[in-house]
Amino acid sequence: MLIEDYALIGDMQSAALVARDGSIDWLCLPRFDSPACFSALLGSDRNGHWWLGPVGRRPATRRRYRPDTLILESEWDTPTGTVRVIDFMPPRDVNPDVVRIVEGVSGTVEMSMQLRIRFDFGRIVPWVRRTDGHLQAVGGPDAVWLHSPVPLRGGDYAHVATFTVKAGERLPFVFTWHPSHEPMPPQIHAETQLTETEAMWSDWVATCTYQGPWREAVVRSLITLKALTYSPTGGIVAAPTTSLPEDLGGVRNWDYRFCWLRDATMTLEALIGNGYLDEAAAWRAWLLRAIAGRPQDLQIMYGVAGERRLPEMTLDWLDGYEASRPVRIGNDAVTQLQLDVYGEVMSCLYASRTSGLPADERAWSIQRELLSYVEEHWDEPDEGLWEVRGPRRHFTHSKIMCWTALDRAVKYVEQFGRSGPVERWKATRAAIHAEICDKGYDSERNTFTQSYGSSELDASLLLMPMLGFLPIDDPRVKGTVAAIEKELMADGFVMRYPTAADNAVDGLPGGEGAFLACSFWLVEVMALQGRKDEARELFERLLALRNDVGLLAEEYDPRYGRLVGNFPQAFSHVPLIHAARALS
């Protein structure tokens, strides 16, 4: 399956990917970052999957989300009739459930199902038994139940079923996880949960304040971001998957099932801008818990409950998506120094306050500590926002974000009456600004560069005018935008930075696709420059890259005309929302 052949369902604690042919090929339970019980996405069906569809296993004729929900409907037209499969995960009470309802639309259709459960990312074959007509699978700490009126039969370490569905009939399948040491949880009623889940999503979307011409795309992106929120804590994961490659067949395969401060802050700004202050309050509470402690211990990412240890390891028994190995879980970038996150945190908390979020005394105390760290360390090299695995550098974007941290601190004092050494902050802010304009700017080419003394460009420099570092009409900003359009565009989309063999900035072999967030940034910059027609044209081209249900991966590879990278990616849907608002 192509990455864009998948759709997302979720319950705001975990998520599943459903293929166009009706197979659930990825599901981690009970949390986003838990081991997967279906891992076919990164291997084969023998690593776990749950296929449900007409006999013959073929792609659905059409599929869609029910309007303003995360309820997926896939339909197959067959020679004998039409059938619909409704897939969703109801917001959980205690245990996570995946519900699949087979509905006969017309005629009679012969259906088939195959369930192959493999705990621990496809490694553990569970012990399976049937009790009172229900199927139970147990392996280590995990147990699942499958409830359905359809009889199953076992064989080849899987369970299968063949049945017919007539017009008007509805047959439910309910898959429930629980800790293996606990008794079977209460069985939910599929139809009741469907009604309640639809109402929950529709009510949430009804509060969206965006009414522009791209409402459908914005709403779908907002629903996706909400689905990536871990509701018990307010944390927001970057994506629900790991190791979907940025370079097909290559090694640029990372685990994104964690909460990056950078991604979460940008996500939160998109939610705030569309009227979702409850999410802002929950995220701020998560943030304050996660970063509590010494400012020098601030990490770039955390687990969904604020965990700090995210050790990276490889799963050698999985072949990887299209032989892209290694398959990784955990992320060693957690130990990196990325100075830009201080600016992103300050900027997001400032946006929260300006949007009406009540003051929090503890929040300002922590911010003061973070600012002290920025004052002492802003002039050090770091790994930068792209988490390079090469040598540390003085990345221009990182310095700009240190400037942003101090700039928002000054605004806090001036607008909200907070106490702090504002004159000292202003002086350091001015010193950072001057150094960036001196060391991060190539006067001969009239462009800012990726790092001090380098000749490479970096798409993150497009953020300068949005952050307020320089005005949009500054000749240096104009020159930087023009240089990026000339040197970092591939098939009309923006690359993050050069990945040629002679540029070892990221310390990795191979190339990658165009980073979709960067292309949306260019849309926003074009709009600010008054180039509305060009901005709309690029925006519409980007929207056309979404799959049939409106989802985007991290990147688009123009070499193959395919989406690549983890999916769906918050860091792609967030700037889509910002770009739509800029154009509206």
Side-chain angles (χ1 to χ4, degrees), residues 61-124:
T61 307
R62 57 194 162 270
R63 61 180 181 171
R64 64 158 196 163
Y65 285 114
R66 286 193 178 183
D68 295 345
T69 76
L70 201 64
I71 300 170
L72 180 69
E73 296 184 335
S74 305
E75 293 184 354
W76 287 261
D77 294 333
T78 76
T80 60
T82 296
V83 65
R84 176 184 299 127
V85 175
I86 304 167
D87 290 322
F88 66 100
M89 293 179 68
R92 72 181 74 168
D93 182 15
V94 177
N95 301 104
D97 301 285
V98 177
V99 180
R100 315 192 77 177
I101 299 174
V102 179
E103 178 184 8
V105 177
S106 65
T108 300
V109 180
E110 186 177 8
M111 299 290 289
S112 184
M113 188 210 77
Q114 182 179 75
L115 175 67
R116 183 174 275 114
I117 303 164
R118 295 292 183 269
F119 295 123
D120 194 25
F121 299 102
R123 192 177 190 181
I124 295 178

Side-chain angles (χ1 to χ4, degrees), residues 264-274 344 347-349 351 574 578:
T265 54
M266 293 183 178
T267 300
L268 201 67
E269 288 175 353
L271 292 168
I272 289 172
N274 289 279
E344 273 120 15
S347 181
C348 182
L349 291 174
V574 166
H578 287 307

Side-chain angles (χ1 to χ4, degrees), residues 278-332:
D278 286 346
E279 284 71 18
W283 181 85
R284 184 173 70 177
W286 173 87
L287 173 71
L288 297 178
R289 293 191 303 269
I291 69 175
R294 301 183 305 170
Q296 61 266 38
D297 295 331
L298 180 73
Q299 297 183 177
I300 65 164
M301 72 178 87
Y302 298 85
V304 293
E307 297 89 350
R308 298 191 176 209
R309 295 185 183 274
L310 309 174
E312 185 175 303
M313 62 188 74
T314 60
L315 307 183
D316 297 332
W317 61 89
L318 290 174
D319 292 334
Y321 179 85
E322 295 195 11
S324 304
R325 303 182 73 181
V327 172
R328 295 181 174 94
I329 59 171
N331 200 311
D332 279 348

